[in-house]
Amino acid sequence: MGKALGTFRAVYLVALCCVGSFLFAYDTGIVGGILTFKSFQRDFRYSDAQRASVGSNSTSLLQAGAFFACFFIWPFMARYGRRWSIVLASTIFNVGAVIQTINTHSLAAFYVARVISGVGVGMATVIIPAYSAEMAPKNIRGMLGSMFQFFFTLGVMTSYWIDYAVSEHVPDSTAQWQIPVGMQLVPGAILGLGMLLTTESVRWLAKQGRHEEAMKSLAWVRGGEDDEVRAEFAEILVGIEEEARDKSGVTWRELVQVPSNRHRLILIVCLQIGVQLTGNTSMAYYAPQIFSLVGAGDNKLLLTGFFGLVKVIACLFFLLFLVERLGRRGSLLAGALLMGMYMLIVAVLTAVFPPDPDAGLTPASIASLTMIYLEAMSYNISWGPVPWVYTGEIFPNRIREAGVALATATQWLFNFVFSQATPHAVENLGWKTFVMFSVFNFALVVFVWFFIKETKGKSLEQMDELFGGNALPDRDPESFKVSDQGAQHVDGVGQETVVPDRKD
């Protein structure tokens, strides 16, 4: 019974964490669709000439809020814990979502609401991976990391189909755009309320010295307390001690002053910039506008829905069959090369056979759409998931949190930049936008070939050797034992950390 209950609670935890990913994806995905609604333009009173600016601001301001959230959420969740930090993130997001849904007739109010929701989203995307990694059992931790990306694509797809559904079945009225915007509250509420049915992070509680509460939290998520759970808790305490030793005296300056750390940081920053240079996130945010550019016409929202479906299928295929088979370097090389080729083909087709808005779908536009779908598939088996895997692998434990924080901030910063630039590029460059992204992708092939090293299957010590650093000392496996008095860790000077065998 205990094992079954623990499995149920672990699955519940996984699903709840994935709601956070779904929330972020849905929130970014709906904007491209509602910007095509005449009802939205009429209610917020902007002209056709302002469309590109409204589109870039509506999307990029969400990223700006998320970017700034990266800098204050770390100390907040370190002090107040993961659980209540997620509840706060959900609350902030929902406040922004409510303001967005109200027909204020004010673009300024809508923009402010996007920033507020962005702060909530940014907080959630930082806290949830940390919370889930600290709470999930070892046997599903890898699945959780993979499912987080899968639910992101699922959220994007859902937003596309909801936009399409309201465009077809809801009259040209305020409700047409309020329905997809208001539905943000559903995953937002599930995330916040769902956290009330969980417990606080075991590791956070243990770091605060609240060992009894930490043990209760671990017993809850494992379905009960037994020798195996007590042994796991003792190992957590050992890990916290080692982490404290590893990070003793650590400063942000180590990221740039130590040559091997500086090397890794530059690689990760370049990789996160590269994610935006592929052009896929830009196309995801503004898919209807991109599809109009290649001749989708009145079918743009329907084709956008299938675009989301293709992304989900590709991501699922990667998780099931490729995640542990392809190397990091090979995935990035193949992905950038394929995306560059597909973008170039789209550019040539659109330039040679300019789409006619009155002609409907033509063989050239169908071919272009196929290339865009293939590009999305290539991204979701390479530059979508791999840079985050690489980011989590290459930093030593001493500076991993700082490295991941800077990587996340870089992602949000350049997400903001490209969200601002893409609508203007589409409007002013037309088919040359695809040439621009094609060149970027071919440049990424060169970057990966010369600078990215393969990390698949390598241990921490091998990582340090690979990047020119010093290996951290191994933990003596004999220092961990379980006795009749409870689980114990014996350190190098004979001191013990004892987890009492509770009888209640």
Side-chain angles (χ1 to χ4, degrees):
M1 178 63 181
K3 291 291 184 181
L5 181 60
T7 300
F8 171 80
R9 288 173 174 170
V11 171
Y12 169 79
L13 180 69
V14 170
L16 190 61
C17 291
C18 288
V19 167
S21 178
F22 183 96
L23 170 66
F24 164 49
Y26 180 87
D27 193 39
T28 54
I30 57 168
V31 173
I34 66 172
L35 290 174
T36 66
F37 298 160
K38 288 292 184 181
S39 58
F40 185 83
Q41 182 176 351
R42 183 174 59 250
D43 284 340
F44 286 93
R45 301 168 181 172
Y46 60 90
S47 64
D48 290 343
Q50 295 175 290
R51 281 185 179 180
S53 295
V54 172
S56 62
N57 291 336
S58 297
T59 302
S60 62
L61 288 174
L62 180 88
Q63 327 300 340
F67 171 75
F68 288 109
C70 292
F71 294 98
F72 71 79
I73 189 53
W74 286 103
F76 183 90
M77 74 175 186
R79 179 170 182 176
Y80 297 103
R82 284 48 163 152
R83 182 170 175 248
W84 288 110
S85 295
I86 294 176
V87 172
L88 176 63
S90 172
T91 303
I92 292 174
F93 172 84
N94 286 330
V95 168
V98 168
I99 299 173
Q100 290 176 57
T101 308
I102 298 172
N103 186 8
T104 61
H105 300 291
S106 170
L107 278 175
F110 188 78
Y111 291 159
V112 169
R114 294 293 287 175
V115 174
I116 294 172
S117 288
V119 170
V121 164
M123 292 171 64
T125 55
V126 171
I127 306 165
I128 288 173
Y131 175 76
S132 61
E134 292 171 351
M135 291 290 283
K138 294 178 181 178
N139 61 316
I140 65 166
R141 195 169 293 145
M143 181 189 72
L144 177 60
S146 301
M147 291 296 288
F148 200 79
Q149 172 68 16
F150 174 69
F151 268 72
F152 179 88
T153 60
L154 195 62
V156 170
M157 183 192 72
T158 302
S159 69
Y160 291 163
W161 283 109
I162 288 178
D163 281 344
Y164 171 70
V166 296
S167 71
E168 291 292 313
H169 302 291
V170 178
D172 182 13
S173 63
T174 297
Q176 189 181 52
W177 62 265
Q178 282 183 323
I179 291 173
V181 173
M183 287 187 70
Q184 297 176 89
L185 293 166
V186 176
I190 290 174
L191 179 62
L193 295 175
M195 289 308 302
L196 300 179
L197 302 177
T198 66
T199 58
E200 182 54 83
S201 162
V202 177
R203 285 181 60 84
W204 182 80
L205 289 169
K207 283 183 178 180
Q208 307 304 307
R210 297 156 61 177
H211 290 183
E212 184 176 352
E213 292 178 64
M215 185 64 202
K216 289 180 179 179
S217 178
L218 183 62
W220 178 87
V221 79
R222 299 297 183 263
E225 182 179 337
D226 55 21
D227 287 343
E228 185 178 345
V229 171
R230 286 190 289 273
E232 181 181 355
F233 184 58
E235 192 171 11
I236 288 173
L237 294 181
V238 171
I240 290 173
E241 290 178 3
E242 291 186 341
E243 183 178 321
R245 287 196 296 268
D246 291 343
K247 295 183 178 180
S248 176
V250 67
T251 66
W252 283 83
R253 288 180 296 178
E254 288 185 34
L255 284 169
V256 294
Q257 289 181 339
V258 178
S260 64
N261 293 344
R262 184 168 62 245
H263 178 204
R264 298 181 225 206
L265 180 63
I266 292 172
L267 285 181
I268 290 305
V269 168
C270 289
L271 270 180
Q272 293 298 337
I273 296 173
V275 171
Q276 307 306 319
L277 290 176
T278 64
N280 195 274
T281 52
S282 297
M283 290 202 298
Y285 294 159
Y286 303 105
Q289 291 82 350
I290 295 292
F291 286 132
S292 293
L293 188 62
V294 298
D298 294 337
N299 299 304
K300 57 181 176 290
L301 289 181
L302 176 62
L303 293 170
T304 298
F306 283 110
F307 179 65
L309 180 61
V310 166
K311 293 167 73 72
V312 169
I313 293 173
C315 187
L316 184 60
F317 181 78
F318 177 79
L319 299 182
L320 294 178
F321 303 108
L322 300 179
V323 64
E324 293 301 336
R325 290 180 172 84
L326 291 179
R328 314 325 183 208
R329 188 170 181 269
S331 296
L332 294 173
L333 278 172
L337 181 62
L338 289 172
M339 287 187 287
M341 291 170 57
Y342 295 142
M343 291 282 197
L344 184 59
I345 293 171
V346 173
V348 171
L349 287 171
T350 309
V352 175
F353 304 101
D356 182 354
D358 299 323
L361 290 174
T362 64
S365 60
I366 292 173
S368 295
L369 291 168
T370 302
M371 293 301 105
I372 292 176
Y373 286 170
L374 290 173
E375 189 276 343
M377 294 177 67
S378 301
Y379 174 83
N380 280 284
I381 63 172
S382 59
W383 286 82
V386 172
W388 290 109
V389 175
Y390 205 80
T391 297
E393 288 178 334
I394 72 171
F395 287 112
N397 188 55
R398 181 174 173 83
I399 60 166
R400 182 171 291 117
E401 286 187 0
V404 172
L406 285 175
T408 304
T410 301
Q411 188 273 148
W412 284 119
L413 176 61
F414 282 87
N415 208 316
F416 169 81
V417 170
F418 277 83
S419 296
Q420 276 282 338
T422 300
H424 299 287
V426 170
E427 186 175 272
N428 297 309
L429 298 179
W431 62 267
K432 295 177 184 177
T433 304
F434 297 105
V435 176
M436 176 182 72
F437 285 124
S438 177
V439 171
F440 288 160
N441 276 288
F442 289 139
L444 290 175
V445 172
V446 177
F447 165 71
V448 173
W449 181 267
F450 285 103
F451 297 105
I452 296 299
K453 301 176 181 179
E454 184 57 68
T455 59
K456 177 188 173 185
K458 295 187 181 296
S459 65
L460 175 62
E461 290 73 18
Q462 290 172 315
M463 292 287 185
D464 285 317
E465 182 180 347
L466 190 65
F467 292 99
N470 295 319
L472 295 175
D474 291 327
R475 186 178 73 184
D476 181 5
E478 293 299 322
S479 66
F480 175 71
K481 63 180 181 178
V482 178
S483 71
D484 293 337
Q485 286 72 43
Q488 303 175 351
H489 169 245
V490 183
D491 66 17
V493 293
Q495 295 179 331
E496 294 184 348
T497 301
V498 180
V499 186
D501 187 1
R502 292 170 41 234
K503 303 298 183 183
D504 55 337

